[in-house]
Amino acid sequence: GAVVSQHPSRVICKSGTSVKIECRSLDFQATTMFWYRQFPKQSLMLMATSNEGSKATYEQGVEKDKFLINHASLTLSTLTVTSAHPEDSSFYICSAPRTDPNQPQHFGDGTRLSIL
Amino acid sequence: GQSLEQPSEVTAVEGAIVQINCTYQTSGFYGLSWYQQHDGGAPTFLSYNGLDGLEETGRFSSFLSRSDSYGYLLLQELQMKESATYFCAVRDRVNTNAGKSTFGDGTTLTVKP
């Protein structure tokens, strides 16, 4: 079964709305989670690393005030897209790695965000 | 930084064998993973190589040569449902639940009857 749960799977909303996406590790604790964004026919691009109990680390070019990340517990990270605009429409995917490097990096099912 | 190169498209017929290559340049390296992604879905894990050599999982195999910074995914007895995009990804470090992966641009595999 799934080890990383992501919710919601799809969001359609008006421009200017803020959207929160949740990512949960189901059977293990994750002090770190990763948030990726994927545009159609493109690769996964890492947006930020979510760290439990401390500030997220953002990749170059990603606006931290636009994409708010909160890692409130060892099993939950949230990404909030603030005042979303049509150019923010994308597929957002979270991932939670296990400590053992020989274990695969598990992904949530993704959230397809469409801003009208 | 990290960069990975893989072919953009591969076409094969059902029942055939196909190999998808991946070369990488990384500032740090821990392991090479392969993921499958169907349209509209999230990536699913296929195989991982931490050490040199071949890893076999049923009809899928993956190979790694760290000295050549090269790996490949081998799919045997191809099935139509395996038409998808395949990503190689490098995990760059291991540090207390860290170890983020950088992904290649993906190889779109089309399996024809």
Side-chain angles (χ1 to χ4, degrees):
Chain A
V3 296
V4 176
S5 172
Q6 186 172 342
H7 178 81
S9 59
R10 185 173 183 92
V11 179
I12 302 172
C13 58
K14 294 180 179 179
S15 184
T17 306
S18 292
V19 178
K20 179 186 283 189
I21 304 169
E22 292 187 348
C23 183
R24 295 179 185 273
S25 58
L26 298 182
D27 64 350
F28 65 100
Q29 294 181 334
T31 57
T32 301
M33 291 187 184
F34 302 113
W35 287 96
Y36 291 85
R37 179 168 57 183
Q38 185 179 35
F39 291 105
K41 305 298 183 185
Q42 294 188 23
S43 186
L44 285 78
M45 299 301 297
L46 181 67
M47 298 175 64
T49 301
S50 173
N51 303 301
E52 189 271 334
S54 64
K55 292 182 179 180
T57 305
Y58 289 82
E59 297 298 305
Q60 190 172 6
V62 178
E63 300 174 59
K64 57 183 68 176
D65 294 332
K66 175 76 170 178
F67 299 100
L68 300 179
I69 290 173
N70 184 288
H71 199 138
S73 75
L74 287 170
T75 59
L76 174 63
S77 174
T78 60
L79 168 68
T80 301
V81 184
T82 61
S83 186
H85 291 285
E87 58 266 28
D88 299 322
S89 298
S90 188
F91 192 46
Y92 294 86
I93 312 170
C94 71
S95 170
R98 294 181 185 266
T99 306
D100 181 355
N102 292 312
Q103 293 291 319
Q105 185 173 343
H106 295 283
F107 288 87
D109 287 339
T111 298
R112 190 158 303 280
L113 177 62
S114 299
I115 308 298
L116 305 177
Chain B
Q2 320 278 57
S3 71
L4 295 90
E5 289 194 12
Q6 54 182 126
S8 59
E9 296 180 344
V10 173
T11 301
V13 296
E14 192 175 16
I17 300 171
V18 71
Q19 179 174 313
I20 301 173
N21 298 321
C22 176
T23 57
Y24 58 87
Q25 288 185 315
T26 60
S27 55
F29 176 85
Y30 194 88
L32 182 70
S33 299
W34 289 91
Y35 294 84
Q36 178 191 64
Q37 186 180 32
H38 286 98
D39 279 348
T44 57
F45 172 79
L46 292 179
S47 188
Y48 172 82
N49 295 77
L51 300 174
D52 291 348
L54 192 68
E55 291 286 338
E56 297 179 86
T57 309
R59 293 182 296 107
F60 292 1
S61 304
S62 61
F63 172 82
L64 174 66
S65 169
R66 288 174 294 174
S67 60
D68 295 323
S69 298
Y70 163 76
Y72 66 72
L73 177 70
L74 191 73
L75 300 88
Q76 302 183 68
E77 300 174 30
L78 278 174
Q79 300 178 3
M80 297 290 290
K81 65 180 181 180
E82 282 150 6
S83 291
T85 299
Y86 293 82
F87 294 96
C88 59
V90 165
R91 195 168 185 182
D92 60 4
R93 63 187 178 97
V94 177
N95 181 16
T96 314
N97 275 345
K100 62 185 180 184
S101 293
T102 301
F103 286 77
D105 288 341
T107 298
T108 300
L109 172 63
T110 302
V111 182
K112 295 186 174 181

Short mmCIF file of all heavy atoms in Angstrom, two decimals, chain B residues 14-57:
data_model
loop_
_atom_site.label_atom_id
_atom_site.label_comp_id
_atom_site.label_asym_id
_atom_site.label_seq_id
_atom_site.Cartn_x
_atom_site.Cartn_y
_atom_site.Cartn_z
N GLU B 14 5.97 -4.79 -28.83
CA GLU B 14 5.56 -5.67 -27.74
C GLU B 14 6.36 -6.97 -27.77
O GLU B 14 6.60 -7.54 -28.84
CB GLU B 14 4.07 -5.98 -27.90
CG GLU B 14 3.42 -6.65 -26.72
CD GLU B 14 1.92 -6.81 -26.92
OE1 GLU B 14 1.46 -6.68 -28.07
OE2 GLU B 14 1.22 -7.06 -25.92
N GLY B 15 6.83 -7.36 -26.60
CA GLY B 15 7.61 -8.59 -26.49
C GLY B 15 9.11 -8.40 -26.66
O GLY B 15 9.89 -9.31 -26.37
N ALA B 16 9.51 -7.24 -27.10
CA ALA B 16 10.93 -6.98 -27.34
C ALA B 16 11.64 -6.59 -26.03
O ALA B 16 11.04 -6.54 -24.96
CB ALA B 16 11.08 -5.86 -28.37
N ILE B 17 12.94 -6.34 -26.18
CA ILE B 17 13.77 -5.87 -25.08
C ILE B 17 14.21 -4.45 -25.40
O ILE B 17 14.58 -4.14 -26.53
CB ILE B 17 15.03 -6.75 -24.90
CG1 ILE B 17 14.62 -8.20 -24.60
CG2 ILE B 17 15.93 -6.21 -23.80
CD1 ILE B 17 15.80 -9.18 -24.62
N VAL B 18 14.17 -3.59 -24.42
CA VAL B 18 14.61 -2.22 -24.64
C VAL B 18 15.53 -1.78 -23.50
O VAL B 18 15.35 -2.18 -22.35
CB VAL B 18 13.41 -1.26 -24.78
CG1 VAL B 18 12.71 -1.05 -23.45
CG2 VAL B 18 13.85 0.08 -25.35
N GLN B 19 16.53 -1.00 -23.86
CA GLN B 19 17.49 -0.49 -22.87
C GLN B 19 17.44 1.04 -22.89
O GLN B 19 17.55 1.65 -23.96
CB GLN B 19 18.90 -0.97 -23.20
CG GLN B 19 19.98 -0.47 -22.26
CD GLN B 19 21.33 -1.10 -22.55
OE1 GLN B 19 21.45 -2.31 -22.72
NE2 GLN B 19 22.37 -0.27 -22.61
N ILE B 20 17.29 1.63 -21.74
CA ILE B 20 17.28 3.09 -21.61
C ILE B 20 18.52 3.49 -20.82
O ILE B 20 18.69 3.07 -19.67
CB ILE B 20 16.01 3.58 -20.89
CG1 ILE B 20 14.76 3.15 -21.67
CG2 ILE B 20 16.04 5.09 -20.73
CD1 ILE B 20 13.45 3.45 -20.96
N ASN B 21 19.37 4.27 -21.46
CA ASN B 21 20.64 4.66 -20.84
C ASN B 21 20.52 5.96 -20.07
O ASN B 21 19.67 6.81 -20.38
CB ASN B 21 21.72 4.81 -21.91
CG ASN B 21 21.98 3.51 -22.65
OD1 ASN B 21 21.99 2.45 -22.05
ND2 ASN B 21 22.16 3.59 -23.96
N CYS B 22 21.40 6.12 -19.12
CA CYS B 22 21.43 7.34 -18.32
C CYS B 22 22.88 7.63 -17.94
O CYS B 22 23.56 6.76 -17.39
CB CYS B 22 20.59 7.17 -17.06
SG CYS B 22 20.63 8.57 -15.90
N THR B 23 23.35 8.80 -18.27
CA THR B 23 24.67 9.23 -17.82
C THR B 23 24.49 10.43 -16.91
O THR B 23 23.54 11.21 -17.07
CB THR B 23 25.60 9.61 -18.99
OG1 THR B 23 24.96 10.65 -19.76
CG2 THR B 23 25.87 8.42 -19.88
N TYR B 24 25.37 10.56 -15.96
CA TYR B 24 25.18 11.61 -14.97
C TYR B 24 26.50 12.31 -14.65
O TYR B 24 27.58 11.73 -14.77
CB TYR B 24 24.55 11.06 -13.69
CG TYR B 24 25.33 9.95 -13.02
CD1 TYR B 24 26.34 10.24 -12.10
CD2 TYR B 24 25.08 8.61 -13.32
CE1 TYR B 24 27.06 9.22 -11.50
CE2 TYR B 24 25.80 7.59 -12.72
CZ TYR B 24 26.79 7.90 -11.82
OH TYR B 24 27.51 6.89 -11.23
N GLN B 25 26.36 13.55 -14.26
CA GLN B 25 27.47 14.34 -13.73
C GLN B 25 26.96 14.95 -12.44
O GLN B 25 26.02 15.73 -12.44
CB GLN B 25 27.89 15.45 -14.70
CG GLN B 25 28.62 14.97 -15.94
CD GLN B 25 29.12 16.12 -16.79
OE1 GLN B 25 28.38 17.08 -17.03
NE2 GLN B 25 30.35 16.04 -17.23
N THR B 26 27.57 14.56 -11.35
CA THR B 26 27.07 15.01 -10.06
C THR B 26 28.22 15.43 -9.16
O THR B 26 29.32 14.91 -9.25
CB THR B 26 26.28 13.89 -9.37
OG1 THR B 26 27.14 12.76 -9.17
CG2 THR B 26 25.10 13.46 -10.19
N SER B 27 27.91 16.33 -8.27
CA SER B 27 28.92 16.76 -7.31
C SER B 27 29.01 15.77 -6.16
O SER B 27 30.00 15.72 -5.46
CB SER B 27 28.57 18.16 -6.78
OG SER B 27 27.26 18.16 -6.25
N GLY B 28 27.97 15.01 -5.97
CA GLY B 28 27.97 13.94 -4.96
C GLY B 28 27.07 12.84 -5.48
O GLY B 28 26.13 13.10 -6.23
N PHE B 29 27.36 11.63 -5.13
CA PHE B 29 26.56 10.51 -5.65
C PHE B 29 26.38 9.47 -4.57
O PHE B 29 27.32 9.09 -3.88
CB PHE B 29 27.26 9.89 -6.86
CG PHE B 29 26.57 8.67 -7.41
CD1 PHE B 29 25.54 8.81 -8.32
CD2 PHE B 29 26.93 7.41 -6.98
CE1 PHE B 29 24.88 7.68 -8.81
CE2 PHE B 29 26.29 6.29 -7.47
CZ PHE B 29 25.26 6.42 -8.38
N TYR B 30 25.14 9.05 -4.43
CA TYR B 30 24.93 7.90 -3.57
C TYR B 30 24.36 6.72 -4.34
O TYR B 30 24.84 5.60 -4.22
CB TYR B 30 24.04 8.24 -2.39
CG TYR B 30 24.12 7.16 -1.36
CD1 TYR B 30 25.09 7.19 -0.38
CD2 TYR B 30 23.27 6.06 -1.41
CE1 TYR B 30 25.21 6.16 0.54
CE2 TYR B 30 23.39 5.03 -0.49
CZ TYR B 30 24.36 5.08 0.47
OH TYR B 30 24.48 4.07 1.37
N GLY B 31 23.33 6.96 -5.13
CA GLY B 31 22.73 5.85 -5.85
C GLY B 31 21.91 6.34 -7.04
O GLY B 31 21.55 7.51 -7.13
N LEU B 32 21.65 5.42 -7.96
CA LEU B 32 20.87 5.73 -9.16
C LEU B 32 19.57 4.95 -9.10
O LEU B 32 19.57 3.73 -8.89
CB LEU B 32 21.66 5.33 -10.41
CG LEU B 32 21.00 5.62 -11.76
CD1 LEU B 32 20.97 7.12 -12.02
CD2 LEU B 32 21.75 4.92 -12.88
N SER B 33 18.47 5.66 -9.26
CA SER B 33 17.16 5.05 -9.22
C SER B 33 16.45 5.22 -10.55
O SER B 33 16.77 6.12 -11.33
CB SER B 33 16.29 5.69 -8.12
OG SER B 33 16.87 5.53 -6.84
N TRP B 34 15.48 4.36 -10.78
CA TRP B 34 14.64 4.46 -11.97
C TRP B 34 13.18 4.49 -11.54
O TRP B 34 12.75 3.75 -10.65
CB TRP B 34 14.89 3.26 -12.89
CG TRP B 34 16.22 3.29 -13.55
CD1 TRP B 34 17.38 2.74 -13.10
CD2 TRP B 34 16.54 3.93 -14.80
NE1 TRP B 34 18.41 2.99 -13.97
CE2 TRP B 34 17.92 3.72 -15.04
CE3 TRP B 34 15.80 4.66 -15.74
CZ2 TRP B 34 18.57 4.20 -16.16
CZ3 TRP B 34 16.45 5.14 -16.86
CH2 TRP B 34 17.83 4.91 -17.07
N TYR B 35 12.43 5.36 -12.22
CA TYR B 35 11.01 5.53 -11.93
C TYR B 35 10.22 5.46 -13.23
O TYR B 35 10.71 5.86 -14.30
CB TYR B 35 10.74 6.87 -11.25
CG TYR B 35 11.34 6.98 -9.87
CD1 TYR B 35 12.66 7.35 -9.69
CD2 TYR B 35 10.57 6.68 -8.75
CE1 TYR B 35 13.21 7.44 -8.41
CE2 TYR B 35 11.11 6.78 -7.47
CZ TYR B 35 12.43 7.16 -7.32
OH TYR B 35 12.96 7.24 -6.06
N GLN B 36 9.00 4.97 -13.10
CA GLN B 36 8.07 4.93 -14.21
C GLN B 36 6.94 5.89 -13.93
O GLN B 36 6.43 5.95 -12.80
CB GLN B 36 7.51 3.50 -14.36
CG GLN B 36 6.48 3.32 -15.46
CD GLN B 36 5.79 1.97 -15.34
OE1 GLN B 36 5.09 1.70 -14.37
NE2 GLN B 36 5.98 1.11 -16.33
N GLN B 37 6.55 6.64 -14.94
CA GLN B 37 5.42 7.56 -14.75
C GLN B 37 4.49 7.49 -15.96
O GLN B 37 4.89 7.74 -17.09
CB GLN B 37 5.91 9.00 -14.57
CG GLN B 37 4.79 9.97 -14.22
CD GLN B 37 5.28 11.40 -14.03
OE1 GLN B 37 6.24 11.82 -14.66
NE2 GLN B 37 4.61 12.15 -13.15
N HIS B 38 3.25 7.12 -15.68
CA HIS B 38 2.22 7.16 -16.71
C HIS B 38 1.59 8.54 -16.71
O HIS B 38 1.61 9.27 -15.72
CB HIS B 38 1.14 6.09 -16.45
CG HIS B 38 1.60 4.70 -16.76
ND1 HIS B 38 2.07 3.83 -15.80
CD2 HIS B 38 1.68 4.03 -17.94
CE1 HIS B 38 2.41 2.69 -16.37
NE2 HIS B 38 2.18 2.78 -17.68
N ASP B 39 1.01 8.90 -17.86
CA ASP B 39 0.37 10.22 -17.99
C ASP B 39 -0.64 10.44 -16.87
O ASP B 39 -1.52 9.61 -16.65
CB ASP B 39 -0.34 10.33 -19.34
CG ASP B 39 0.62 10.66 -20.46
OD1 ASP B 39 1.77 11.03 -20.16
OD2 ASP B 39 0.21 10.57 -21.63
N GLY B 40 -0.49 11.57 -16.20
CA GLY B 40 -1.44 11.93 -15.15
C GLY B 40 -1.15 11.33 -13.80
O GLY B 40 -1.83 11.65 -12.83
N GLY B 41 -0.13 10.47 -13.74
CA GLY B 41 0.16 9.81 -12.47
C GLY B 41 1.47 10.28 -11.86
O GLY B 41 2.21 11.05 -12.45
N ALA B 42 1.73 9.83 -10.66
CA ALA B 42 2.98 10.15 -9.98
C ALA B 42 4.03 9.09 -10.32
O ALA B 42 3.69 8.00 -10.78
CB ALA B 42 2.74 10.19 -8.47
N PRO B 43 5.29 9.41 -10.13
CA PRO B 43 6.34 8.42 -10.41
C PRO B 43 6.25 7.23 -9.46
O PRO B 43 5.98 7.40 -8.27
CB PRO B 43 7.64 9.20 -10.16
CG PRO B 43 7.27 10.63 -10.15
CD PRO B 43 5.84 10.68 -9.69
N THR B 44 6.48 6.06 -10.00
CA THR B 44 6.55 4.86 -9.17
C THR B 44 7.95 4.25 -9.29
O THR B 44 8.52 4.20 -10.38
CB THR B 44 5.49 3.82 -9.56
OG1 THR B 44 5.66 3.50 -10.95
CG2 THR B 44 4.10 4.35 -9.33
N PHE B 45 8.44 3.79 -8.17
CA PHE B 45 9.80 3.27 -8.10
C PHE B 45 9.91 1.95 -8.85
O PHE B 45 9.07 1.06 -8.73
CB PHE B 45 10.18 3.07 -6.64
CG PHE B 45 11.49 2.37 -6.44
CD1 PHE B 45 12.68 3.05 -6.59
CD2 PHE B 45 11.52 1.03 -6.09
CE1 PHE B 45 13.89 2.40 -6.39
CE2 PHE B 45 12.72 0.37 -5.90
CZ PHE B 45 13.91 1.05 -6.05
N LEU B 46 11.00 1.81 -9.63
CA LEU B 46 11.26 0.56 -10.36
C LEU B 46 12.49 -0.18 -9.82
O LEU B 46 12.44 -1.38 -9.58
CB LEU B 46 11.47 0.84 -11.85
CG LEU B 46 10.28 1.32 -12.66
CD1 LEU B 46 10.71 1.57 -14.10
CD2 LEU B 46 9.13 0.32 -12.60
N SER B 47 13.61 0.56 -9.69
CA SER B 47 14.85 -0.13 -9.36
C SER B 47 15.86 0.86 -8.81
O SER B 47 15.77 2.06 -9.07
CB SER B 47 15.42 -0.80 -10.62
OG SER B 47 16.51 -1.64 -10.31
N TYR B 48 16.82 0.32 -8.06
CA TYR B 48 17.85 1.16 -7.43
C TYR B 48 19.19 0.45 -7.50
O TYR B 48 19.28 -0.76 -7.26
CB TYR B 48 17.48 1.43 -5.98
CG TYR B 48 18.57 2.12 -5.19
CD1 TYR B 48 18.73 3.49 -5.27
CD2 TYR B 48 19.43 1.39 -4.35
CE1 TYR B 48 19.73 4.13 -4.55
CE2 TYR B 48 20.42 2.02 -3.63
CZ TYR B 48 20.56 3.40 -3.73
OH TYR B 48 21.55 4.03 -3.01
N ASN B 49 20.23 1.21 -7.83
CA ASN B 49 21.61 0.70 -7.80
C ASN B 49 22.45 1.60 -6.91
O ASN B 49 22.62 2.77 -7.22
CB ASN B 49 22.21 0.65 -9.20
CG ASN B 49 21.54 -0.32 -10.12
OD1 ASN B 49 20.46 -0.06 -10.64
ND2 ASN B 49 22.18 -1.46 -10.33
N GLY B 50 22.96 1.05 -5.84
CA GLY B 50 23.89 1.77 -4.99
C GLY B 50 25.32 1.38 -5.29
O GLY B 50 26.26 2.16 -5.09
N LEU B 51 25.49 0.16 -5.77
CA LEU B 51 26.81 -0.36 -6.10
C LEU B 51 26.85 -0.75 -7.57
O LEU B 51 25.81 -0.92 -8.21
CB LEU B 51 27.13 -1.58 -5.23
CG LEU B 51 27.15 -1.33 -3.72
CD1 LEU B 51 27.32 -2.66 -2.99
CD2 LEU B 51 28.25 -0.35 -3.35
N ASP B 52 28.06 -0.93 -8.09
CA ASP B 52 28.22 -1.33 -9.49
C ASP B 52 27.59 -2.71 -9.72
O ASP B 52 27.60 -3.57 -8.84
CB ASP B 52 29.71 -1.40 -9.85
CG ASP B 52 30.36 -0.04 -9.88
OD1 ASP B 52 29.63 0.97 -9.84
OD2 ASP B 52 31.60 0.02 -9.95
N GLY B 53 27.08 -2.87 -10.93
CA GLY B 53 26.57 -4.17 -11.30
C GLY B 53 25.11 -4.12 -11.68
O GLY B 53 24.53 -3.07 -11.89
N LEU B 54 24.56 -5.32 -11.78
CA LEU B 54 23.21 -5.50 -12.27
C LEU B 54 22.26 -5.86 -11.14
O LEU B 54 22.57 -6.72 -10.32
CB LEU B 54 23.22 -6.62 -13.33
CG LEU B 54 21.98 -6.82 -14.18
CD1 LEU B 54 21.79 -5.64 -15.11
CD2 LEU B 54 22.11 -8.12 -14.98
N GLU B 55 21.13 -5.19 -11.13
CA GLU B 55 20.05 -5.54 -10.20
C GLU B 55 18.87 -6.03 -11.03
O GLU B 55 18.46 -5.36 -11.98
CB GLU B 55 19.61 -4.31 -9.38
CG GLU B 55 20.64 -3.82 -8.38
CD GLU B 55 20.75 -4.72 -7.18
OE1 GLU B 55 19.78 -5.47 -6.91
OE2 GLU B 55 21.81 -4.72 -6.53
N GLU B 56 18.34 -7.18 -10.68
CA GLU B 56 17.25 -7.74 -11.46
C GLU B 56 15.99 -7.87 -10.62
O GLU B 56 16.04 -8.38 -9.50
CB GLU B 56 17.65 -9.12 -12.01
CG GLU B 56 18.83 -9.06 -12.97
CD GLU B 56 19.23 -10.42 -13.50
OE1 GLU B 56 18.64 -10.86 -14.49
OE2 GLU B 56 20.12 -11.05 -12.90
N THR B 57 14.89 -7.40 -11.18
CA THR B 57 13.60 -7.53 -10.52
C THR B 57 12.59 -7.95 -11.57
O THR B 57 12.01 -7.13 -12.28
CB THR B 57 13.15 -6.18 -9.90
OG1 THR B 57 14.20 -5.66 -9.10
CG2 THR B 57 11.91 -6.38 -9.06
#
